[in-house]
Coordinates of all heavy atoms in Angstrom, one line a residue:
S1 N -87.0 70.5 -0.5 CA -87.0 69.2 0.2 C -86.1 69.2 1.5 O -86.4 68.5 2.4 CB -86.6 68.1 -0.7 OG -85.3 68.2 -1.2
F2 N -85.0 70.0 1.5 CA -84.1 69.9 2.6 C -84.8 70.5 3.9 O -84.4 70.2 5.0 CB -82.8 70.7 2.4 CG -82.9 72.0 1.8 CD1 -83.3 73.1 2.7 CD2 -82.8 72.3 0.5 CE1 -83.4 74.4 2.2 CE2 -82.9 73.6 0.0 CZ -83.2 74.6 0.8
F3 N -85.9 71.3 3.7 CA -86.6 71.8 4.9 C -87.3 70.7 5.7 O -87.5 70.8 6.9 CB -87.6 72.9 4.5 CG -87.0 74.2 4.2 CD1 -87.2 74.8 3.0 CD2 -86.2 74.8 5.2 CE1 -86.6 76.1 2.8 CE2 -85.6 76.1 4.9 CZ -85.8 76.7 3.7
L4 N -87.5 69.5 5.1 CA -88.2 68.4 5.8 C -87.3 67.9 6.9 O -87.8 67.4 7.9 CB -88.5 67.3 4.8 CG -89.5 67.7 3.7 CD1 -89.6 66.5 2.7 CD2 -90.9 68.0 4.3
G5 N -86.0 67.9 6.7 CA -85.1 67.4 7.7 C -84.2 68.3 8.4 O -83.6 68.0 9.4
H6 N -84.2 69.6 8.0 CA -83.3 70.6 8.6 C -84.2 71.4 9.6 O -84.9 72.3 9.3 CB -82.7 71.5 7.6 CG -81.5 72.3 8.1 ND1 -81.6 73.6 8.3 CD2 -80.3 71.9 8.5 CE1 -80.4 74.1 8.8 NE2 -79.6 73.0 8.9
F7 N -84.1 71.0 10.9 CA -84.9 71.5 12.0 C -86.4 71.4 11.7 O -87.1 72.4 11.5 CB -84.6 73.0 12.2 CG -83.2 73.2 12.7 CD1 -82.1 73.4 11.8 CD2 -82.9 73.2 14.1 CE1 -80.8 73.6 12.3 CE2 -81.6 73.4 14.6 CZ -80.6 73.6 13.7
P8 N -86.9 70.1 11.6 CA -88.3 69.9 11.3 C -89.2 70.7 12.3 O -88.8 70.8 13.5 CB -88.5 68.4 11.6 CG -87.1 67.8 11.4 CD -86.1 68.9 11.8
N9 N -90.3 71.1 11.8 CA -91.2 71.9 12.6 C -90.7 73.3 13.0 O -91.4 74.1 13.6 CB -91.7 71.2 13.9 CG -92.4 69.9 13.5 OD1 -93.1 69.8 12.5 ND2 -92.0 68.9 14.3
N10 N -89.5 73.6 12.6 CA -88.9 74.9 12.8 C -87.8 75.1 11.7 O -86.7 75.3 12.0 CB -88.3 75.1 14.2 CG -87.8 76.5 14.5 OD1 -88.3 77.4 13.9 ND2 -86.8 76.6 15.4
P11 N -88.2 75.1 10.4 CA -87.3 75.0 9.3 C -86.5 76.3 9.2 O -87.0 77.4 9.3 CB -88.1 74.8 8.1 CG -89.5 75.4 8.5 CD -89.6 75.1 9.9
I12 N -85.1 76.2 9.0 CA -84.3 77.3 8.7 C -83.4 76.9 7.5 O -83.1 75.7 7.3 CB -83.4 77.8 9.8 CG1 -82.4 76.7 10.3 CG2 -84.2 78.2 11.0 CD1 -81.4 77.2 11.3
F13 N -83.1 77.9 6.7 CA -82.2 77.6 5.5 C -80.8 77.3 6.0 O -80.3 78.1 6.8 CB -82.2 78.9 4.7 CG -81.6 78.8 3.3 CD1 -82.1 77.9 2.4 CD2 -80.6 79.6 2.9 CE1 -81.5 77.8 1.1 CE2 -80.0 79.5 1.7 CZ -80.5 78.6 0.8
P14 N -80.3 76.2 5.5 CA -78.9 75.8 6.0 C -77.8 76.8 5.7 O -77.8 77.4 4.6 CB -78.6 74.5 5.2 CG -80.0 74.0 4.9 CD -80.8 75.2 4.6
G15 N -77.0 77.1 6.7 CA -75.9 78.1 6.5 C -75.0 77.8 5.4 O -74.5 78.7 4.7
I16 N -74.7 76.5 5.2 CA -73.8 76.1 4.1 C -74.4 76.5 2.7 O -73.7 76.8 1.8 CB -73.5 74.6 4.2 CG1 -72.3 74.3 3.3 CG2 -74.7 73.7 3.8 CD1 -71.0 74.9 3.7
F17 N -75.8 76.5 2.6 CA -76.4 76.9 1.4 C -76.3 78.5 1.2 O -76.3 79.0 0.1 CB -77.8 76.5 1.3 CG -78.0 75.0 1.2 CD1 -79.2 74.4 1.4 CD2 -76.9 74.1 0.9 CE1 -79.4 73.0 1.3 CE2 -77.1 72.8 0.8 CZ -78.3 72.2 1.0
I18 N -76.3 79.2 2.3 CA -76.0 80.6 2.2 C -74.6 80.9 1.6 O -74.5 81.7 0.7 CB -76.2 81.3 3.6 CG1 -77.6 81.2 4.2 CG2 -75.8 82.8 3.5 CD1 -77.7 81.6 5.6
L19 N -73.6 80.2 2.1 CA -72.3 80.3 1.6 C -72.3 79.8 0.1 O -71.6 80.4 -0.7 CB -71.3 79.4 2.4 CG -71.0 80.0 3.8 CD1 -70.1 79.0 4.5 CD2 -70.3 81.3 3.7
E20 N -73.0 78.7 -0.2 CA -73.1 78.2 -1.6 C -73.7 79.3 -2.5 O -73.2 79.5 -3.6 CB -73.9 76.9 -1.6 CG -74.0 76.4 -3.0 CD -72.7 75.9 -3.6 OE1 -71.8 75.5 -2.9 OE2 -72.6 75.9 -4.9
S21 N -74.6 80.0 -2.0 CA -75.2 81.1 -2.9 C -74.2 82.2 -3.1 O -74.1 82.7 -4.3 CB -76.4 81.7 -2.1 OG -77.0 82.7 -2.9
M22 N -73.3 82.5 -2.1 CA -72.2 83.4 -2.4 C -71.2 82.9 -3.4 O -70.8 83.6 -4.3 CB -71.5 83.7 -1.0 CG -72.2 84.5 0.0 SD -71.2 84.7 1.4 CE -72.4 85.4 2.6
M23 N -70.9 81.6 -3.2 CA -69.9 81.0 -4.2 C -70.5 80.9 -5.6 O -69.7 81.2 -6.5 CB -69.5 79.6 -3.6 CG -68.7 79.7 -2.4 SD -68.2 78.0 -1.7 CE -69.6 77.6 -0.7
Q24 N -71.8 80.6 -5.7 CA -72.3 80.6 -7.1 C -72.4 82.0 -7.7 O -72.1 82.2 -8.9 CB -73.7 80.0 -7.0 CG -73.7 78.5 -6.8 CD -75.1 77.9 -6.7 OE1 -76.1 78.4 -7.1 NE2 -75.2 76.6 -6.1
S25 N -72.7 83.0 -6.9 CA -72.6 84.4 -7.3 C -71.2 84.8 -7.8 O -71.0 85.4 -8.8 CB -73.1 85.3 -6.2 OG -74.5 85.0 -5.9
A26 N -70.2 84.3 -7.0 CA -68.8 84.6 -7.4 C -68.5 83.9 -8.7 O -67.8 84.5 -9.5 CB -67.9 84.1 -6.3
G27 N -69.0 82.7 -8.9 CA -68.7 82.0 -10.1 C -69.3 82.7 -11.3 O -68.8 82.7 -12.4
I28 N -70.5 83.2 -11.1 CA -71.2 84.0 -12.2 C -70.3 85.2 -12.5 O -70.1 85.5 -13.7 CB -72.6 84.4 -11.8 CG1 -73.5 83.1 -11.7 CG2 -73.2 85.4 -12.8 CD1 -74.8 83.3 -11.0
L29 N -69.8 85.9 -11.5 CA -69.0 87.1 -11.7 C -67.7 86.7 -12.5 O -67.3 87.4 -13.4 CB -68.7 87.8 -10.4 CG -67.9 89.1 -10.5 CD1 -68.6 90.1 -11.5 CD2 -67.7 89.7 -9.2
I30 N -67.1 85.6 -12.1 CA -66.0 85.1 -12.8 C -66.3 84.9 -14.3 O -65.6 85.3 -15.2 CB -65.4 83.8 -12.2 CG1 -64.8 84.1 -10.8 CG2 -64.4 83.1 -13.1 CD1 -64.5 82.8 -10.0
G31 N -67.5 84.3 -14.6 CA -67.9 84.1 -15.9 C -68.1 85.4 -16.7 O -67.7 85.5 -17.9
I32 N -68.8 86.3 -16.0 CA -69.0 87.6 -16.7 C -67.7 88.3 -17.0 O -67.5 88.9 -18.1 CB -69.8 88.5 -15.8 CG1 -71.3 88.0 -15.7 CG2 -69.8 90.0 -16.2 CD1 -72.1 88.7 -14.6
N33 N -66.7 88.2 -16.2 CA -65.4 88.8 -16.4 C -64.6 88.1 -17.5 O -63.7 88.7 -18.1 CB -64.5 88.7 -15.1 CG -65.1 89.7 -14.1 OD1 -65.7 90.7 -14.4 ND2 -64.8 89.4 -12.8
N34 N -64.9 86.8 -17.8 CA -64.2 86.0 -18.8 C -65.1 85.5 -19.8 O -65.2 84.3 -20.1 CB -63.4 84.9 -18.1 CG -62.4 85.3 -17.1 OD1 -61.4 85.9 -17.4 ND2 -62.7 85.1 -15.8
L35 N -65.8 86.4 -20.5 CA -66.8 86.0 -21.5 C -66.3 85.1 -22.6 O -67.0 84.3 -23.2 CB -67.5 87.2 -22.1 CG -68.4 88.1 -21.1 CD1 -68.8 89.3 -21.8 CD2 -69.5 87.2 -20.6
N36 N -65.0 85.2 -22.8 CA -64.4 84.5 -23.9 C -64.2 83.0 -23.5 O -63.9 82.2 -24.4 CB -63.0 85.0 -24.3 CG -62.0 85.1 -23.1 OD1 -62.5 85.3 -22.0 ND2 -60.8 84.9 -23.4
V37 N -64.4 82.6 -22.3 CA -64.3 81.2 -21.9 C -65.6 80.5 -21.6 O -65.7 79.4 -21.1 CB -63.3 81.0 -20.7 CG1 -61.9 81.5 -21.0 CG2 -63.9 81.7 -19.4
V38 N -66.7 81.2 -22.0 CA -68.0 80.6 -21.8 C -68.1 79.4 -22.6 O -67.6 79.3 -23.7 CB -69.1 81.6 -22.2 CG1 -70.5 81.0 -22.2 CG2 -69.1 82.8 -21.3
N39 N -68.8 78.4 -22.1 CA -69.0 77.1 -22.7 C -67.7 76.3 -22.9 O -67.6 75.3 -23.6 CB -69.7 77.2 -24.1 CG -71.1 77.8 -23.9 OD1 -71.8 77.5 -22.9 ND2 -71.5 78.6 -24.8
S40 N -66.6 76.7 -22.2 CA -65.4 75.9 -22.2 C -65.5 74.9 -21.1 O -66.5 74.8 -20.4 CB -64.1 76.8 -22.1 OG -64.1 77.3 -20.7
N41 N -64.4 74.2 -20.8 CA -64.4 73.3 -19.7 C -63.9 73.9 -18.5 O -63.3 73.2 -17.6 CB -63.6 72.0 -20.1 CG -64.3 71.2 -21.2 OD1 -65.6 71.1 -21.2 ND2 -63.6 70.6 -22.1

């Protein structure tokens, strides 16, 4: 849905979402490294 308003008629993926993808990937790596804290808070 964000493509509807982010450069309409010339949609590009928002740069902040590129960074967010990196941050989510880092969060997954943190989780993989700390398997004993899965499902904790």
Side-chain angles (χ1 to χ4, degrees):
S1 62
F2 52 77
F3 282 124
L4 295 174
H6 196 252
F7 294 91
N9 302 319
N10 187 24
I12 63 169
F13 189 60
I16 194 68
F17 293 167
I18 298 171
L19 289 173
E20 181 65 27
S21 182
M22 289 180 190
M23 292 181 271
Q24 290 178 16
S25 296
I28 294 165
L29 184 55
I30 290 168
I32 289 169
N33 289 334
N34 298 292
L35 292 174
N36 58 327
V37 297
V38 172
N39 297 324
S40 72
N41 291 326

